[in-house]
Amino acid sequence: MKYIDQAEINRLLENNKKPSAAELKKILTKAKALNRLNLEEVAMLLNVSNPESLKEIFSAASFVKDTIYGRRVVLFAPLYISNICANNCLYCAFKADNKVTTRKALTIEEIKEQVRWLLSRGHKRILMVAGESGKNPVDYYVEAIKAIYSVNVGQHKIRRVNINCAPLSVEEFKKLKASGIGTYQIFQETYHEATYRRVHPSGPKSDPDNRIDAVDRAFTAGIDDVGVGVLYGLYEWKFETLALLMHIEHLEKKFNIGPHTISVPRIEPASGVEFTKNMPHKVSDDDFRKVVAILRLAVPYTGIILSTRESADLRDELFSLGISQISAESRTSPGGYSSGDNNQSREIQFTIGDQRSLDEVVASLLEKSYIPSFCAACYRKARTGEKFMNLAKPGTIKGKCSVNALITLKEYLDDFATEEVKKDGYRLINQLKNNLEPQVQESLAKFFTDIDRGIRDEYV
Ligand code: SAM
Ligand code: SF4
């Protein structure tokens, strides 16, 4: 597989080298100074198993998360527009040979109906998701994106549409970019070539190089926020984590910028799919905590996304280890929001672990003093790609992030939250306001007055 030196990864993992106390200290000091870790250092962290050293790794990850992202957690919802697929990924209910799944591609009107539902709950950010089908899928995606941005419910509109779809050509990516997408997201699934070929037996996805090259093509087409990921459970998790970082090193070398986000999906049960019942490399919760913490340390400026595949309890725990974005209230079937899909229909991709409503997720974040954020300001102010990194690294972005997160939280509380959540939310805002720099407090107060006067969607 291109860009992935499997022999080098195996060499790094071969002797299972654990760091000495001095080596661990050196690596964690480097990470806490917000420096990227190299593969050798990451391999040593992956091998740590004694509880005391693990505690040190988790505490360093929390430090990095708090230093760069503060207590903010960005919320979004996936929007599945089609479950028709030409591929046969062994783990997915949308695979072409799965007769259990009822197939559906939403019409533009049906897409708008889903968006109205999401807006009426308070969502502002959507991840559009589709199976791989048709000769010219990009025109459908572009129409769908236009439709999503066109809908409003009262004063509320979707502010950022990200997309997770199959690889496209540079020309097609240019069309996607012109339609106003935020991040283009694609998971390599597994970086282990033999496993990749085995679990993708037919269809366009069976070519691993076409998939890994899609990230390069997206950058080449000018999409500068790209999301990468591994589907944990297909192959050995330490190998996958090192390979993902090797992929990122390739992107950094070639484009001078890494991915905007990393996703860490674990395989979930999917109906009609034997593979998910008997997974060869199932990743335990303990190892999964390690993966999140070590990624947080290795690439401090890359957002880490956690989906509703994970249970509510584990999600709550992982925020402190480095998660910066989460989905909430997800349905994995096309049309699942307005139809009230209960996670069991014949149209879903996999069953989700966290079925709480957006309001419940917001409540649980507030309870732990995290700031639920619906901010999309950077993308709308063109602070993307290298420009974003140049602001993020010296910490310049932080003042803006605090203001924007609190504006979006107040909008959510005023317009959508239940009474109980409103109370907790206003209490947290009041606490946090006092810790801001005087200038930032002043700017926030002006925005809050505007919100009280009925103005929405202001940001810096
Ligand atoms: N069809 C496109 C593709 O495969 O790139 C894009 C969308 S696909 C619906 C999104 C992601 O869902 C895949 O990249 C894969 O990682 C994940 N996925 C598939 N089956 C899954 C399962 N059973 N459990 C958890 N995640 C799954
Ligand atoms: Fe199709 Fe994507 Fe599912 Fe594979 S993971 S079967 S490509 S929808």
Side-chain angles (χ1 to χ4, degrees):
M1 193 183 292
K2 271 181 166 178
Y3 320 126
I4 305 301
D5 183 346
Q6 297 200 177
E8 171 63 5
I9 298 174
N10 287 331
R11 185 195 68 77
L12 286 165
L13 291 173
E14 217 159 56
N15 37 17
N16 195 23
K17 182 174 185 308
K18 292 184 170 52
S20 65
E23 280 168 332
L24 182 64
K25 189 162 177 231
K26 197 167 161 213
I27 297 171
L28 297 184
T29 306
K30 180 177 175 187
K32 283 165 79 177
L34 310 182
N35 292 307
R36 282 273 278 106
L37 299 182
N38 62 40
L39 295 178
E40 200 96 39
E41 290 160 338
V42 173
M44 281 200 265
L45 293 185
L46 290 168
N47 289 331
V48 167
S49 55
N50 86 67
E52 278 313 306
S53 305
L54 276 177
K55 241 196 230 163
E56 286 179 50
I57 291 178
F58 291 163
S59 138
S62 286
F63 174 87
V64 171
K65 146 91 177 140
D66 276 358
T67 309
I68 297 182
Y69 301 89
R71 305 287 296 172
R72 296 180 302 280
V73 177
V74 171
L75 291 150
F76 71 94
L79 172 55
Y80 281 69
I81 60 167
S82 165
N83 63 7
I84 302 172
C85 195
N87 293 308
N88 257 314
C89 312
L90 293 193
Y91 44 82
C92 179
F94 295 172
K95 66 182 182 146
D97 289 352
N98 190 1
K99 300 286 177 271
V100 171
T101 300
T102 312
R103 306 290 166 168
K104 193 167 174 184
L106 298 183
T107 63
I108 294 302
E109 198 34 59
E110 285 169 332
I111 290 171
K112 289 183 181 174
E113 194 186 344
Q114 301 307 301
V115 177
R116 272 182 223 110
W117 191 96
L118 289 167
L119 282 170
S120 71
R121 314 286 287 191
H123 283 286
K124 293 287 182 291
R125 299 168 62 109
I126 278 181
L127 171 66
M128 191 175 102
V129 186
E132 180 166 10
S133 77
K135 274 221 164 66
N136 200 359
V138 75
D139 289 343
Y140 176 47
Y141 301 157
V142 168
E143 285 311 304
I145 292 159
K146 273 194 207 146
I148 295 170
Y149 281 127
S150 76
V151 176
N152 61 290
V153 169
Q155 288 170 288
H156 298 284
K157 283 173 99 65
I158 294 297
R159 297 174 183 172
R160 176 167 174 138
V161 183
N162 299 329
I163 177 167
N164 184 319
C165 69
L168 299 171
S169 66
V170 172
E171 285 316 306
E172 289 170 322
F173 276 129
K174 282 184 181 164
K175 280 193 189 175
L176 212 54
K177 169 152 172 88
S179 73
I181 60 156
T183 308
Y184 169 65
Q185 207 182 69
I186 183 162
F187 311 149
Q188 187 61 22
E189 320 294 15
T190 171
Y191 286 95
H192 185 254
E193 182 161 355
T195 303
Y196 187 99
R197 292 190 187 279
R198 191 170 50 76
V199 300
H200 302 111
S202 62
K205 194 164 165 180
S206 54
D207 175 358
D209 286 336
N210 181 46
R211 193 160 181 94
I212 204 164
D213 257 340
V215 181
D216 291 48
R217 293 199 295 274
F219 274 127
T220 305
I223 298 178
D224 47 13
D225 281 354
V226 177
V228 296
V230 164
L231 182 60
Y232 281 96
L234 293 176
Y235 189 63
E236 211 268 317
W237 60 274
K238 290 184 189 175
F239 178 99
E240 298 287 24
T241 306
L242 282 175
L244 172 72
L245 291 166
M246 197 175 252
H247 185 191
I248 292 175
E249 283 187 353
H250 154 75
L251 297 171
E252 287 169 338
K253 252 186 235 142
K254 182 163 169 188
F255 299 100
N256 205 21
I257 178 174
H260 186 62
T261 54
I262 294 176
S263 297
V264 287
R266 281 195 294 183
I267 298 178
E268 291 296 313
S271 53
V273 179
E274 274 309 303
F275 184 89
T276 63
K277 290 186 194 142
N278 189 13
M279 258 177 291
H281 295 281
K282 202 168 182 326
V283 180
S284 70
D285 287 356
D286 281 346
D287 290 339
F288 193 56
R289 287 185 190 93
K290 246 161 97 171
V291 168
V292 171
I294 292 171
L295 285 174
R296 178 67 301 135
L297 295 172
V299 275
Y301 292 98
T302 306
I304 306 182
I305 302 180
L306 190 69
S307 76
T308 50
R309 289 172 180 88
E310 302 302 336
S311 70
D313 288 347
L314 187 61
R315 270 162 46 105
D316 286 353
E317 211 186 304
L318 290 170
F319 297 142
S320 70
L321 296 184
I323 299 298
S324 54
Q325 290 190 30
I326 56 165
S327 49
E329 201 162 33
S330 309
R331 302 285 183 278
T332 67
S333 57
Y337 292 110
S338 62
S339 72
D341 189 331
N342 60 359
N343 204 22
Q344 279 168 357
S345 78
R346 292 166 63 95
E347 288 152 10
I348 62 172
Q349 189 191 17
F350 50 82
T351 50
I352 55 176
D354 180 356
Q355 296 191 49
R356 293 174 298 176
S357 68
L358 176 59
D359 206 57
E360 287 166 331
V361 174
V362 168
S364 127
L365 286 168
L366 291 171
E367 198 191 312
K368 292 166 194 71
S369 299
Y370 284 105
I371 312 168
S373 169
F374 298 86
C375 179
C378 278
Y379 148 73
R380 295 159 97 203
K381 289 250 180 188
R383 295 191 295 254
T384 55
E386 218 173 333
K387 273 189 227 140
F388 171 80
M389 289 298 167
N390 290 339
L391 287 167
K393 287 191 177 155
T396 319
I397 199 83
K398 264 167 119 188
K400 292 186 199 301
C401 292
S402 307
V403 171
N404 289 329
L406 293 175
I407 292 174
T408 62
L409 174 58
K410 180 168 161 59
E411 286 181 346
Y412 175 81
L413 297 172
D414 283 12
D415 296 344
F416 302 101
T418 50
E419 286 311 312
E420 205 49 36
V421 172
K422 274 193 215 293
K423 259 193 267 158
D424 290 348
Y426 295 138
R427 195 181 310 125
L428 182 70
I429 289 177
N430 284 331
Q431 268 170 27
L432 295 170
K433 255 188 346 195
N434 302 331
N435 301 334
L436 297 171
E437 306 275 313
Q439 253 177 318
V440 182
Q441 280 192 36
E442 212 178 290
S443 137
L444 189 66
K446 283 193 194 125
F447 286 118
F448 276 15
T449 309
D450 283 349
I451 298 176
D452 290 337
R453 285 169 40 218
I455 298 170
R456 294 290 177 272
D457 201 11
E458 291 190 309
Y459 50 91
V460 287

